[in-house]
Amino acid sequence: MSNIWSEALEELEPRLGAQTFDLWLRPIALDKVEDDRLHLTAPNRFMKEWFENHYLGVVLDEIRARTERSFQVEIAVVVDTEERRAKSDRPSTPSSEVVLDTPPSDLVEATPSTPAPPNPAPRRAEPPKLSQRYRFKSFIHGSSNDLAASAAWAVAQAPGQRLNPLFIYGGVGLGKTHLLHAIGHHLHETRPELRIALQSAERFMNEFITAVRSNSFDEFRRRYREDCDVLLIDDIQFISGRDRTMDEFFHVFNALYEAGKQIVVTADRVPGDMQGMEERLTSRLNWGLVADVKAPDLETRVAILRQKAEEDGIVLSDEVSLHIAGLIRSNVRELEGALVRVSTFASLKGLEITPNFATSVLGAQATQRQHAPLTIETIQKLVATHFSIRIADLKGPRRHKGIARPRMIAMYLARELTPASFPEIGLRFGGKDHSTVINACKRIRALQALEPELAANVRTLRQQLCAEPLS
Ligand code: ADP
Ligand code: MG
């Protein structure tokens, strides 16, 4: 009879895909068969429920097709000792043996010397800094993000268990940051005692540098290594080539991982493709699950548009949703931008949103964006022309106001309108340090409020960059 089980699974593996299969079906085992009852085991409660809700049906269908019999199923949560043994060969073991409804013991407040009070109220951790919009309920599932989204959900149910670390990668505007925040929200709501740190790798690096410079490294270390139960790091590619930051992150990773704390990292590419990333770090980032987000298919784009329209109280017919989703294919951020543009124009002009109207607003932008993404060179060219200076001056060291201002504006626009990081922008402006770029962006942001003329220049440039065909 156990053949029937393994044969059914074998049949399902190619249908479900190797990753899904390994993740959700392989851990479920057939213990015994009694009459018409299958006794299965799952390594924890979460896996059990996930299997029941998502895959049990297809497995039973498959078995029914093979045996022409219907079975009842009982699933017991049994800690898999073999798996535990295998895992202990690894440098460190996350708390895989913890059954899920009990919190990991290191999260319960107790001091070794004094016995804990009978029912200690769970302490509430500081709420993490999260964007309100980025929640699971507002994230649309589709084949382009299915693995990443289910893995994120799994982590939010059972941090520090099977999927540790979780590494989510993909191009810009495809939902990585959204998923990271969603994990943070869900964990904070369901397990308020967990101390959650969500940080972009860039902020992590800046905090680290500041800590070293201001002799507050102990506090930094405590924040990330000791007072942290869940670490969510966005855009890790940013620290590639930054030796000291990589080294520090490596130690943070080890400390948390060894304590069974959940780590989730996002990046714009797979660990092995990040140039300048230390080998020992990329290998660790590969230890858990590596899941990608791809550009959404048409159906998902339509679903996202509908949802965003509803969130923002925009009336959008099915026909128009489909039309816009057909025009904007590259990523979700552009899709959102398109919706805002179309609805703003429509309300300004007092017109109804029709497919033709959407095309007239988006047509040029849509085609142009797909063929030629905005580059830093294009920005430099336009800024130099606008202020009648040379591109070489934008890249050079001169601090004269007539040059320094346009340079700062160009850096600011590069940061706002392209996915380039601060160091990358510095590099394209004649190899300037990332801190120069950060300061430029800060100043231009502040100056726009103080100097109307500068604000008008920035507005014009931005409009030209976003509206005109790019060469
Ligand atoms: P990334 O971090 O991959 O560059 P973000 O997470 O910042 O992308 O996503 C860009 C925008 O698109 C955000 O406003 C996010 O809410 C939205 N978005 C991306 N994917 C989805 C999705 N599947 N469902 C709903 N909104 C999404
Ligand atoms: Mg992001």
Side-chain angles (χ1 to χ4, degrees):
M1 183 62 215
S2 65
N3 284 350
I4 293 294
W5 175 256
S6 50
E7 281 165 17
L9 289 198
E10 219 168 89
E11 178 69 30
L12 285 170
E13 180 166 355
R15 265 166 49 197
L16 296 171
Q19 265 180 321
T20 301
F21 186 84
D22 282 347
L23 199 55
W24 304 117
L25 274 83
R26 203 178 290 289
I28 308 294
L30 176 67
D31 182 26
K32 56 179 187 254
V33 186
E34 278 176 351
D35 306 325
D36 61 349
R37 198 167 281 269
L38 300 177
H39 292 266
L40 305 178
T41 61
N44 57 48
R45 190 168 62 93
F46 174 67
M47 297 294 293
K48 167 182 179 236
E49 285 172 4
W50 191 276
F51 174 78
E52 280 171 343
N53 294 335
H54 292 81
Y55 303 109
L56 181 59
V58 275
V59 178
L60 285 181
D61 285 349
E62 187 61 40
I63 292 179
R64 202 176 305 119
R66 286 164 175 272
T67 58
E68 295 181 346
R69 284 172 61 189
S70 292
F71 288 92
Q72 302 289 316
V73 168
E74 229 158 75
I75 307 178
V77 173
V78 175
V79 177
D80 184 344
T81 43
E82 249 188 43
E83 175 181 297
R84 226 193 307 170
R85 236 177 285 132
K87 275 205 166 181
S88 65
D89 291 337
R90 279 210 189 157
S92 52
T93 319
S95 48
S96 60
E97 62 265 50
V98 175
V99 175
L100 284 166
D101 21 11
T102 48
S105 54
D106 49 343
L107 299 179
V108 177
E109 265 201 345
T111 36
S113 48
T114 38
N119 260 330
R123 78 179 126 81
R124 284 185 73 87
E126 279 267 296
K129 295 185 191 80
L130 301 167
S131 161
Q132 281 311 316
R133 283 170 72 107
Y134 294 170
R135 291 169 178 276
F136 280 118
K137 67 173 189 293
S138 60
F139 192 86
I140 305 282
H141 273 237
S143 54
S144 56
N145 58 36
D146 189 36
L147 183 68
S150 18
W153 178 244
V155 160
Q157 303 296 306
Q161 308 272 327
R162 300 183 68 81
L163 308 183
N164 201 19
L166 170 61
F167 187 95
I168 300 175
Y169 74 94
V172 299
L174 297 179
K176 303 182 294 295
T177 300
H178 189 134
L179 285 174
L180 208 60
H181 284 245
I183 295 172
H185 276 301
H186 190 86
L187 281 174
H188 182 64
E189 282 155 13
T190 52
R191 307 266 300 268
E193 78 283 6
L194 290 183
R195 294 158 303 178
I196 300 167
L198 182 142
Q199 206 63 282
S200 67
E202 189 174 348
R203 280 285 298 273
F204 178 86
M205 181 181 89
N206 290 334
E207 283 186 8
F208 171 60
I209 293 171
T210 309
V212 172
R213 285 196 186 140
S214 62
N215 274 335
S216 54
F217 184 66
D218 283 351
E219 197 214 314
F220 178 87
R221 172 186 302 229
R222 208 174 321 113
R223 184 161 359 124
Y224 287 104
R225 297 196 203 180
E226 287 148 34
D227 295 350
C228 177
D229 300 312
V230 178
L231 180 65
L232 310 170
I233 293 282
D234 208 4
D235 289 322
I236 192 78
Q237 76 277 358
F238 183 85
I239 65 166
S240 307
R242 316 246 151 201
D243 291 346
R244 292 190 60 191
T245 309
M246 280 193 291
D247 194 53
E248 178 54 28
F249 183 72
F250 177 76
H251 292 298
V252 167
F253 184 102
N254 288 345
L256 295 179
Y257 187 82
E258 270 158 32
K261 306 295 175 64
Q262 179 69 47
I263 302 163
V264 184
V265 171
T266 74
D268 63 352
R269 63 202 75 177
V270 290
D273 281 354
M274 288 188 278
Q275 280 194 352
M277 192 63 94
E278 275 183 41
E279 162 70 28
R280 57 182 188 165
L281 204 49
T282 52
S283 104
R284 274 165 176 71
L285 293 173
N286 269 317
W287 273 354
L289 180 77
V290 175
D292 67 337
V293 285
K294 295 193 245 356
D297 53 25
L298 183 69
E299 207 184 359
T300 312
R301 295 201 299 277
V302 169
I304 291 174
L305 268 179
R306 280 196 190 134
Q307 184 202 250
K308 301 276 170 196
E310 201 183 305
E311 258 175 36
D312 296 342
I314 300 167
V315 181
L316 211 60
S317 70
D318 287 354
E319 194 191 7
V320 175
S321 308
L322 193 64
H323 186 73
I324 298 180
L327 285 175
I328 309 283
R329 301 181 194 158
S330 44
N331 73 50
V332 182
R333 192 171 294 141
E334 298 230 338
L335 200 60
E336 288 181 350
L339 178 64
V340 171
R341 242 173 110 82
V342 170
S343 67
T344 310
F345 270 71
S347 69
L348 281 178
K349 298 193 171 178
L351 293 171
E352 195 194 334
I353 307 179
T354 61
N356 277 346
F357 180 78
T359 307
S360 70
V361 177
L362 300 174
Q365 180 204 11
T367 28
Q368 149 213 327
R369 275 295 156 94
Q370 266 143 42
H371 295 130
L374 187 54
T375 63
I376 296 179
E377 282 68 35
T378 310
I379 295 174
Q380 290 171 333
K381 229 190 273 176
L382 190 74
V383 171
T385 317
H386 184 87
F387 290 103
S388 307
I389 59 173
R390 295 177 312 145
I391 292 183
D393 281 332
L394 283 181
K395 297 184 179 177
R398 290 177 59 192
R399 286 158 181 262
H400 181 270
K401 191 175 166 191
I403 286 169
R405 279 283 175 92
R407 183 188 297 131
M408 288 195 292
I409 290 176
M411 287 177 169
Y412 166 80
L413 289 169
R415 177 63 185 179
E416 292 275 301
L417 303 177
T418 77
S421 64
F422 288 124
E424 224 173 306
I425 297 171
L427 212 64
R428 306 292 194 81
F429 281 81
K432 298 197 171 45
D433 192 70
H434 73 279
S435 59
T436 310
V437 185
I438 293 175
N439 284 334
C441 294
K442 266 194 208 144
R443 283 208 55 198
I444 296 301
R445 224 168 271 138
L447 283 175
Q448 283 184 84
L450 302 172
E451 298 185 12
E453 196 189 335
L454 179 134
N457 276 326
V458 172
R459 211 167 32 244
T460 311
L461 285 164
R462 188 199 286 271
Q463 267 165 6
Q464 286 176 358
L465 287 165
C466 294
E468 262 167 29
L470 305 168
S471 51

